[in-house]
Amino acid sequence: MERLSNKFLFFVLTSILLLTFALPLLSGAYTNYIIIKISILSLYAVAFNIMFGYCGLLSFGHAIFFSASAYTLGVSLTKLNLPIFVALLAGLLTSVIFSIIVGFLSLRHKEIHFAMITLALSMLFWGVVMKWRSVTGGEDGITGISRSISMIAYYYICIITVLSCLFIIYKIIFSDFGLLLEGIRENEIRVEFSAHSVVKLRMLAMIISGLFTGIAGILWAFLDGAVTPTIAHWSFSAVPVIAALIGGPQSFVGPIIGTIVYVIAEDFITRFTLYWQIWLGIVVVLIVLFFRGGIVGTIAKVVSEFYHSKLREKYREREN
Amino acid sequence: MEAIFFQILVGLSTAMLYWVVSVGLTFIFGVTRVLNFAHGSFYMLGAFFALALFKWTNSFVLSIALGSLAVGVVGLLCERGVIRFTYSLPVAFQLVLTFGLVLIFEDLVRFIWGSVPQMIRPLGLGVVTIAGRRFPIYSFVIMGTGLFLWIILYFLLLETKLGLMIRATISDIELAMANGINPHLLYAFSFFFGSFLAGLGGALTLPMCSASLGMGERIIIYSFIITVMGGLGNIKGAFMSSLIIGISESLCAFFMPSLTIAISYVILALVLVVKPEGIYGEA
């Protein structure tokens, strides 16, 4: 049932995203900007959810991978004047290296310990970014990253990159490897007994997650043409956590839906009030207390209840 | 040599501040198994409450006492209001729920007090000269509070019936319940007491630095580091690792100033690689 709803939702979402291809011809620059933002953050949230939803490890450190690639790209383009492909590769490589380091330090641990260690490393990374002025520009960040193409061309590049990344992640999640990850989440010892190294599998998941987060970071750096320390701060690690929770961490499309809701709600609420965090906080509290499956989980539950009640009715009629 | 002694003294006073805050966090974790993200917000609330009370009563001692008690009540309300529904949930949900509380408190404080950092006028306790440098007498007040708290906790946990109940709950909650201990009373108490300590820590910093919006963030990370390092829920561990973190940070600021921001993380990483369950193990 869940897989069915997953596939259905994936189909719906893909068609919505395909519709967005026509959008830049119809709408203004601001809408385009918001849609690019949604697509990048969706990739971020889905990549994060490889760890959270499928490995059951809550990471508060994904901002490291996101900003590591963005900063590397910024530095190699503006300060080292490297060609763009080298810069892209360097960015992705940095993300992978950082995910290996973070994974090495944190993956032996679970639950609270894992969350705390990733959080601490994230704070350390932020501290270094703020202090290492000669490279990272400190509080000002790095400006002047030129993407040398128009916004609309960039819009298409973004959408296509994000879609293909999502497709690859989808393939990974629903492969044997993804199944093993879920197996670890449900029962670690059994997976170990079937001759799989839990730590190695988790490390692989961490690297994949870090790599795709890095891609999102690179797209982000080109979007504004600047990298600021806000994306290295741990509160930026909380963005995919909240997005995944709003949408539903146990499904593939959950984080995407969560991101759409998150970005639009942020944009909408900040028009009326400065105090938008308080609403976000209240939403988070309500979700944890009442809708732990998120949007997708809640809908799937309602649909399956409806479906089952229909079945029951049919059955009763036949009996009569 | 004298300089090192001085740095250790400075480190001791920061360590005692860390200890007051982080023991609250580890106490709550020990009893309820919830790691409270909002602990840093309670610390911030403590500073702002004390600030408001100081403007009103003009007595520093009274404003610290009342302010931290008020934070304790806020913690109690949070526990009874929302956190108690998450005891049986996975850890991720508890963390995220308390993170939601952080967002709410942050904006509430911004709404009530504004985002400009606020200070009270100095207490005028003066300084003493130690090893040729000037050392604020107020730091001795913080050290004294920390040591006093150590004694109080020792007495509370080892000599009173409440302490017996708390220790029983920490070591085996099912057996404790079978012996007629109502865990919800203890949960409520631990949140009251832990938040009270966070508020106390926040209020105590007021004469040294201003009450500002981001102040909870730094301390919550330090408290996390200290509690994880000492062993989650382990009070003795929290004391020792506060000392380690506070003193090594202050020594590092003297010998290698550029490494100061990284030193506590490096120590945490070392401890976790050697002893994943913390210095004294999990309670």
Side-chain angles (χ1 to χ4, degrees):
Chain A
M1 186 62 209
E2 199 186 319
R3 276 209 174 190
L4 195 78
S5 72
N6 258 342
K7 276 198 177 147
F8 174 69
L9 278 167
F10 189 71
F11 175 74
V12 170
L13 238 103
T14 322
S15 42
I16 290 172
L17 280 174
L18 283 174
L19 276 181
T20 57
F21 273 92
L23 211 66
L25 310 172
L26 310 169
S27 65
Y30 188 67
T31 323
N32 292 348
Y33 182 83
I34 289 287
I35 291 174
I36 296 178
K37 207 171 155 186
I38 288 177
S39 65
I40 296 173
L41 289 180
S42 301
L43 178 59
Y44 182 27
V46 170
F48 158 82
N49 204 42
I50 297 175
M51 295 310 288
F52 182 46
Y54 292 92
C55 296
L57 294 168
L58 174 58
S59 154
F60 265 106
H62 265 61
I64 299 178
F65 317 137
F66 193 91
S67 50
S69 67
Y71 266 101
T72 313
L73 182 91
V75 170
S76 37
L77 279 184
T78 59
K79 297 195 174 156
L80 307 174
N81 292 319
L82 293 175
I84 192 157
F85 286 105
V86 181
L88 288 175
L89 270 181
L92 291 184
L93 198 66
T94 329
S95 278
V96 170
I97 291 171
F98 270 102
S99 50
I100 291 172
I101 297 172
V102 172
F104 173 74
L105 286 170
S106 61
L107 281 176
R108 280 164 206 283
H109 306 274
K110 272 180 297 177
E111 302 200 322
I112 292 189
H113 287 87
F114 181 80
M116 289 307 95
I117 293 164
T118 46
L119 177 66
L121 291 173
S122 175
M123 280 302 277
L124 172 61
F125 187 80
W126 186 72
V128 172
V129 164
M130 290 293 273
K131 295 270 161 161
W132 201 8
R133 292 195 135 268
S134 56
V135 174
T136 62
E139 218 163 313
D140 306 326
I142 299 167
T143 48
I145 303 166
S146 132
R147 62 171 177 261
S148 65
I149 42 171
S150 72
M151 193 68 172
I152 290 185
Y154 187 62
Y155 177 95
Y156 286 117
I157 290 181
C158 254
I159 300 283
I160 291 168
T161 318
V162 168
L163 274 182
S164 34
C165 287
L166 288 181
F167 181 71
I168 297 169
I169 298 177
Y170 183 81
K171 280 288 168 204
I172 293 173
I173 288 293
F174 290 104
S175 67
D176 291 354
F177 172 69
L179 214 56
L180 266 176
L181 289 184
E182 283 185 79
I184 295 175
R185 184 188 70 205
E186 296 306 327
N187 195 334
E188 206 175 305
I189 298 170
R190 280 203 179 181
V191 176
E192 224 159 47
F193 273 10
S194 46
H196 294 285
S197 161
V198 168
V199 174
K200 259 186 207 162
L201 284 169
R202 278 195 179 139
M203 185 60 123
L204 200 55
M206 189 83 164
I207 292 171
I208 292 169
S209 176
L211 177 70
F212 284 106
T213 311
I215 295 176
I218 285 177
L219 291 175
W220 185 270
F222 278 126
L223 173 62
D224 287 334
V227 186
T228 51
T230 23
I231 58 164
H233 194 247
W234 65 275
S235 55
F236 198 72
S237 298
V239 171
V241 182
I242 293 172
L245 271 179
I246 294 176
Q250 305 284 2
S251 66
F252 182 78
V253 288
I256 304 175
I257 294 176
T259 314
I260 296 172
V261 173
Y262 179 87
V263 174
I264 292 177
E266 181 187 1
D267 187 60
F268 189 70
I269 298 173
T270 41
R271 284 181 195 190
F272 297 103
T273 167
L274 265 175
Y275 307 101
W276 88 282
Q277 275 191 5
I278 193 167
W279 300 106
L280 185 65
I282 290 172
V283 167
V284 168
V285 169
L286 289 179
I287 286 175
V288 173
L289 290 184
F290 302 111
F291 307 101
R292 281 188 284 275
I295 295 174
V296 174
T298 312
I299 291 176
K301 207 169 140 193
V302 171
V303 168
S304 85
E305 261 163 28
F306 180 73
Y307 181 73
H308 281 292
S309 70
K310 279 275 170 196
L311 269 187
R312 235 173 277 136
E313 250 170 48
K314 232 184 219 170
Y315 202 65
R316 222 170 277 142
E317 269 171 25
R318 208 182 293 162
E319 269 189 349
N320 292 339
Chain B
M1 201 56 225
E2 278 174 344
I4 293 176
F5 174 72
F6 184 81
Q7 285 306 117
I8 289 178
L9 208 60
V10 172
L12 266 180
S13 78
T14 13
M16 283 301 130
L17 190 67
Y18 291 161
W19 146 252
V20 170
V21 179
S22 58
V23 73
L25 187 72
T26 212
F27 188 81
I28 293 176
F29 181 84
V31 178
T32 65
R33 300 277 134 187
V34 172
L35 198 60
N36 185 13
F37 235 123
H39 204 67
S41 304
F42 291 150
Y43 173 83
M44 175 179 72
L45 274 184
F48 277 99
F49 279 175
L51 185 99
L53 283 164
F54 187 74
K55 280 182 184 156
W56 187 48
T57 63
N58 229 355
S59 151
F60 184 63
V61 178
L62 198 67
S63 56
I64 281 194
L66 287 181
S68 34
L69 276 178
V71 177
V73 173
V74 172
L76 183 71
L77 290 178
C78 284
E79 196 269 343
R80 285 292 96 185
V82 283
I83 297 172
R84 73 179 161 127
F85 300 109
T86 62
Y87 287 139
S88 52
L89 298 181
V91 176
F93 284 116
Q94 299 170 349
L95 276 176
V96 170
L97 179 90
T98 50
F99 177 71
L101 293 180
V102 172
L103 294 176
I104 294 174
F105 281 124
E106 193 96 342
D107 255 11
L108 275 182
V109 168
R110 199 199 309 265
F111 183 69
I112 299 171
W113 284 285
S115 45
V116 183
Q118 298 182 43
M119 278 195 98
I120 61 170
R121 58 176 171 75
L123 287 178
L125 280 180
V127 290
V128 285
T129 310
I130 296 171
R133 289 153 186 250
R134 289 145 64 81
F135 188 73
I137 291 180
Y138 184 71
S139 295
F140 288 114
V141 176
I142 292 181
M143 283 185 224
T145 315
L147 286 179
F148 184 64
L149 179 65
W150 173 240
I151 297 166
I152 289 275
L153 270 177
Y154 199 82
F155 178 76
L156 172 77
L157 288 177
L158 293 183
E159 305 290 334
T160 62
K161 177 125 192 272
L162 180 65
L164 190 67
M165 283 157 69
I166 290 170
R167 278 186 292 141
T169 317
I170 290 177
S171 65
D172 191 333
I173 185 161
E174 275 164 23
L175 219 54
M177 277 162 79
N179 280 291
I181 291 172
N182 180 357
H184 278 278
L185 270 177
L186 286 182
Y187 291 162
F189 171 75
S190 74
F191 259 92
F192 171 76
F193 188 60
S195 319
F196 165 79
L197 290 177
L200 181 66
L204 277 175
T205 55
L206 208 49
M208 299 185 297
C209 49
S210 49
S212 61
L213 267 173
M215 66 187 289
E217 191 175 285
R218 211 178 91 88
I219 202 80
I220 189 65
I221 299 295
Y222 273 88
S223 305
F224 279 155
I225 290 178
I226 286 166
T227 40
V228 169
M229 219 176 102
L232 279 168
N234 193 321
I235 288 171
K236 201 164 135 199
F239 189 74
M240 290 314 286
S241 40
S242 318
L243 284 182
I244 294 172
I245 293 285
I247 292 174
S248 56
E249 206 180 31
S250 136
L251 284 178
C252 195
F254 183 68
F255 290 110
M256 299 165 285
S258 55
L259 273 182
T260 316
I261 50 160
I263 183 75
S264 2
Y265 304 99
V266 173
I267 296 176
L268 174 74
L270 282 181
V271 168
L272 285 174
V273 168
V274 179
K275 253 190 131 196
E277 71 281 4
I279 300 174
Y280 283 94
E282 206 165 302

